[in-house]
Amino acid sequence: MSSVPPRQRPIAVYHEHPDWFKPLFAELERRGVPYERVDAAAHSFDPAERAAEVPYSLVFNRASPSAYLRGHAQTTFYTLHWLRHLERLGIPTVNGSAVYALELSKASQLDLLHSLGLPYPRARAINNPARAVAAARAAKLRYPVLVKANVGGSGAGIVRYDSEEALANAVERGDVSLGVDGAALVQEAAPLRDGHITRVETLNGEYLYAINVFPAQGSFDLCPADACQRTDGVELVRAACAVDAPKTGLRVEGTTPPRDIIAEVEQIARAAQLDVGGIEFLVDDRDGSHYFYDVNALSNFVADAQNVIGFDPFVKLVDYLQLRTADSALRTPGREHTSNRPQSAVRSPESRPEVATT
């Protein structure tokens, strides 16, 4: 049993990527906030432990579905088990089991969007490559189509097929992979209006900022922390990435989506129980309509944010973590709670600042 009062215990930052969270650690250290880096790739827990024995005031989940690309596939589903264990004990979690489970399934994300009545590109879920062509036909998908691994991350497991013949040939050759859980989406690949997607970052269920992301030719990796430059050619300092990381060709620009899209994004974030993360949408150049296609609970924010959006989102993130830590000290250890989100941090629509429309 820990003798340290809950409020004085460190925040656990549970992660496996060695570089993505350097700006977060720097901001925590600048404020003198006690925290502990917890290695998601080498971890264990005792199902019989009690809440008082957990040495953290708060657990901030920064595990990524793309961990398998770095030799850490063992973190993917284990993380879900630990988060559920912590929540059973009443330990506050940021980006807990509900949204992490959602991030592990592109199919479930579309289910959520459908339940909210929000637009998304037409798709079918499959669990056998032999079903890919028939699924595309059944959904009347227009080519090109994407086969997207259900568990993705950093653009991994996404392949474009320009025709039914190309997809059928790939299936016959055994080239269609469904990823780590044996499931995938067959989904329309919409032509992007103005060549970009838009990523809207949220914090505590509310709009934080938005960026247009212009992907490199043929790439599906839209990680904003990997961006090389703004659209006007200004080089960006990629503090969140490894010093020797190759330049990706990704370009970004700050933007403000229309008010109705921001409202839809906030609706998604709250329904998904997303404490901090990005929601991405595209505008289909064929019809001019917007379509949501990804809920990303692992936000490492845009590179050189001050240069792109005019402020440092990590400052607001640590404000939120400190608020959550203070809130957790008022709760009863070991008691389950219906919501991890501090009500004092959720502003009413009337008290929110004006959002510009474009």
Side-chain angles (χ1 to χ4, degrees), residues 29-341:
E29 290 164 8
R30 186 185 71 81
R31 299 192 195 191
V33 177
Y35 76 96
E36 182 177 325
R37 305 184 193 189
V38 179
D39 186 358
H43 190 267
S44 67
F45 70 89
D46 179 3
E49 73 181 335
R50 292 174 292 172
E53 296 171 319
V54 178
Y56 311 120
S57 60
L58 181 77
V59 174
F60 186 12
N61 173 31
R62 300 281 74 195
S64 170
S66 67
Y68 69 93
L69 300 174
R70 295 178 291 278
H72 297 152
Q74 70 272 22
T75 71
T76 302
F77 296 102
Y78 173 91
T79 295
L80 192 58
H81 309 324
W82 190 46
L83 291 172
R84 286 172 174 165
H85 166 74
L86 292 170
E87 290 162 359
R88 177 180 66 81
L89 296 179
I91 304 300
T93 59
V94 172
N95 281 4
S97 64
V99 74
Y100 183 72
L102 189 70
E103 189 174 25
L104 293 181
S105 174
K106 295 186 185 302
S108 293
Q109 292 179 26
L110 297 192
D111 256 357
L112 175 66
L113 292 170
H114 186 78
S115 73
L116 297 174
L118 297 176
Y120 57 89
R122 285 188 292 179
R124 284 292 174 94
I126 60 173
N127 70 351
N128 188 316
R131 295 291 303 162
V133 172
R137 286 180 182 171
K140 298 181 180 179
L141 304 187
R142 294 166 289 181
Y143 283 84
V145 301
L146 304 175
V147 176
K148 303 169 71 171
N150 196 42
V151 181
S154 300
I158 303 177
V159 180
R160 170 179 163 143
Y161 298 95
D162 290 328
S163 66
E164 181 176 297
E165 181 183 15
L167 178 56
N169 289 341
V171 170
E172 187 175 351
R173 292 193 305 268
D175 291 344
V176 178
S177 172
L178 304 189
V180 297
D181 72 341
L185 294 180
V186 184
Q187 188 170 55
E188 282 193 356
L192 304 180
R193 177 151 296 185
D194 299 324
H196 68 76
I197 63 92
T198 301
R199 180 179 176 117
V200 184
E201 297 287 355
T202 66
L203 180 62
N204 197 26
E206 296 181 345
Y207 175 81
L208 184 60
Y209 70 84
I211 53 174
N212 291 331
V213 181
F214 295 78
Q217 186 67 34
S219 174
F220 298 103
D221 186 353
L222 303 177
C223 175
D226 290 340
C228 297
Q229 58 182 224
R230 294 190 320 205
T231 53
D232 59 5
V234 173
E235 293 288 320
L236 300 179
V237 178
R238 296 187 293 160
C241 300
V243 173
D244 60 351
K247 290 190 174 183
T248 61
L250 203 67
R251 296 179 299 120
V252 297
E253 64 183 10
T255 189
T256 303
R259 184 185 298 274
D260 59 336
I261 293 182
I262 289 176
E264 290 175 348
V265 165
E266 292 180 334
Q267 182 184 11
I268 296 166
R270 291 169 181 167
Q273 299 181 50
L274 176 64
D275 293 311
V276 55
I279 293 166
E280 296 177 6
F281 71 89
L282 58 86
V283 175
D284 189 329
D285 199 42
R286 295 170 297 194
D287 60 18
S289 298
H290 71 282
Y291 298 89
F292 297 103
Y293 67 89
D294 190 41
V295 178
N296 193 322
L298 188 78
S299 180
N300 43 17
F301 296 140
V302 65
D304 202 356
Q306 194 73 47
N307 216 351
V308 177
I309 58 173
F311 69 94
D312 182 355
F314 285 99
V315 172
K316 295 182 181 292
L317 175 57
V318 174
D319 286 344
Y320 174 71
L321 295 177
Q322 289 188 291
L323 179 64
R324 288 290 302 273
T325 301
D327 180 70
S328 71
L330 303 176
R331 297 182 176 221
T332 304
R335 176 183 167 192
E336 293 189 48
H337 300 281
T338 58
S339 174
N340 265 327
R341 184 170 292 150

